[in-house]
Amino acid sequence: MTLLQTIIISIIEGLTEFLPVSSTGHMIITQKLLGVPANDEFVHAFTFIIQFGAILSVVCLYWKRFFQIDHTPVPADEKSKFKRFIHPIRFYWLLFVGVIPAFIIGLPAKKSGLLDWLLESVWAVAIMLVVGGIFMLYCDKIFNKGKEENQITEKRAIRIGLFQCLSLIPGTSRSMATIVGGMASGLTRKRAAEFSFFLAVPTMAGATVLDMYDLLNSDSTWASAHNLTMLAVGCVVSFIVALLAMKWFVNFLAKYGFKWFGWYRIIVGLIIIIMLLCDIPLNMVD
């Protein structure tokens, strides 16, 4: 990968990581357009690792939530020792509960090679962009019962985690799946979006650790000074761009909902499908 390819892909990642348009799908398409080899081991790991760079922007923007212990009095109805124990660290406990489904379902998908196979399929991305886009045109009407008083509970966290597993299919969008999961559980769009951001941190941290482990146990020729520099550049660029995009998205989603993202997904997905059907090469660069 060249420096220009790295910067472009990282900008796309930062812009789309928290939008319900599938950051992984957009990176796969962008790599294809730029002529980046999809089956390259380093490129595959790069796709996941710079996503974690973008996710770290959540920790920066919401640092008070991530580094503050809850010192409020334990509610009177929480009489069990376990509930009293987790009360000060309830925020972290809910993230742990929410990430369990991804671990149970995602790890076997990764180890079996299914996830890698899906990541190489532009067809899968295009189809899921259209399918997800059509769903998003109606999901605001379907899941419009969110109430401000509804809080994140263990039951809601596990349900959102199950929805998150849908994003194993490229083009689905982790952000869309988790936000819809939160709305389906009675949360407002804003609260569902924020928990989607928070849940992304342990999820992508785990995915990054797995990819780094696989890279370190493979042929070490990938670890050239150039590749390591591209990884560093990619993480920094995606971090900065995601930080700028995230707050805008929360306000936009709370005000306008999913409709415009749905139309965008449908248009992009249909363009790619038409190109594939007509054997029009996606590569802009040979």
Side-chain angles (χ1 to χ4, degrees):
M1 292 176 61
T2 66
L3 178 61
L4 180 60
Q5 289 172 332
T6 298
I7 292 175
I8 292 174
I9 293 170
S10 302
I11 290 174
I12 295 297
E13 158 57 23
L15 284 173
T16 60
E17 178 58 47
F18 300 108
L19 305 185
V21 296
S22 177
S23 60
T24 302
H26 274 70
M27 281 196 289
I28 291 171
I29 294 168
T30 303
Q31 288 168 7
K32 193 74 174 176
L33 291 172
L34 296 177
V36 177
N39 57 352
D40 183 271
E41 189 172 19
F42 170 73
V43 172
H44 172 71
F46 176 87
T47 300
F48 278 99
I49 293 171
I50 68 166
Q51 282 182 313
F52 184 63
I55 293 302
L56 287 178
S57 63
V58 179
V59 181
C60 180
L61 189 61
Y62 292 95
W63 65 272
K64 287 184 178 180
R65 294 289 299 274
F66 276 91
F67 300 107
Q68 186 175 31
I69 302 298
D70 188 354
H71 294 293
T72 59
V74 179
D77 59 338
E78 292 189 357
K79 298 179 180 180
S80 72
K81 291 183 178 180
F82 179 72
K83 286 188 175 182
R84 288 180 174 273
F85 170 75
I86 67 169
H87 179 76
I89 55 170
R90 184 167 179 77
F91 174 73
Y92 306 106
W93 167 247
L94 291 172
L95 292 184
F96 172 76
V97 171
V99 85
I100 290 174
F103 178 79
I104 294 174
I105 298 173
L107 187 58
K110 168 72 174 172
K111 292 301 181 183
S112 67
L114 174 62
L115 187 56
D116 294 339
W117 176 78
L118 287 171
L119 286 171
E120 295 174 7
S121 175
V122 178
W123 269 106
V125 172
I127 292 171
M128 291 310 300
L129 280 174
V130 174
V131 172
I134 294 172
F135 170 76
M136 289 170 66
L137 296 180
Y138 302 97
C139 70
D140 284 313
K141 294 181 180 179
I142 299 172
F143 305 111
N144 62 351
K145 303 184 189 299
K147 298 179 181 178
E148 286 292 338
E149 60 267 24
N150 288 346
Q151 302 293 320
I152 305 293
T153 61
E154 286 84 354
K155 185 177 179 179
R156 288 190 172 109
I158 201 79
R159 189 173 184 180
I160 294 170
L162 287 169
F163 270 80
Q164 179 174 242
C165 293
L166 295 173
S167 64
L168 291 171
I169 306 173
T172 301
S173 172
R174 192 205 65 81
S175 176
M176 181 190 78
T178 49
I179 294 173
V180 170
M183 291 170 62
S185 301
L187 301 179
T188 61
R189 280 198 297 254
K190 182 176 181 180
R191 181 159 289 163
E194 288 181 342
F195 189 72
S196 171
F197 299 163
F198 302 152
L199 188 59
V201 176
T203 302
M204 295 310 300
T208 301
V209 169
L210 282 176
D211 273 289
M212 287 301 298
Y213 177 81
D214 290 341
L215 272 180
L216 293 172
N217 283 277
S218 64
D219 186 354
S220 60
T221 55
W222 69 270
S224 63
H226 173 78
N227 282 348
L228 292 175
T229 300
M230 293 306 99
L231 270 180
V233 170
C235 287
V236 171
V237 171
S238 63
F239 172 84
I240 294 172
V241 176
L243 193 62
L244 297 174
M246 189 174 10
K247 206 154 191 179
W248 168 86
F249 170 59
V250 174
N251 294 329
F252 185 93
L253 184 67
K255 188 174 182 180
Y256 298 106
F258 284 109
K259 182 176 68 174
W260 295 111
F261 295 112
W263 282 118
Y264 168 80
R265 288 174 62 111
I266 292 169
I267 292 169
V268 172
L270 287 177
I271 290 173
I272 296 169
I273 289 173
I274 291 170
M275 293 179 71
L276 292 171
L277 289 173
C278 297
D279 290 325
I280 300 173
L282 293 178
N283 291 41
M284 293 172 52
V285 180
D286 292 327

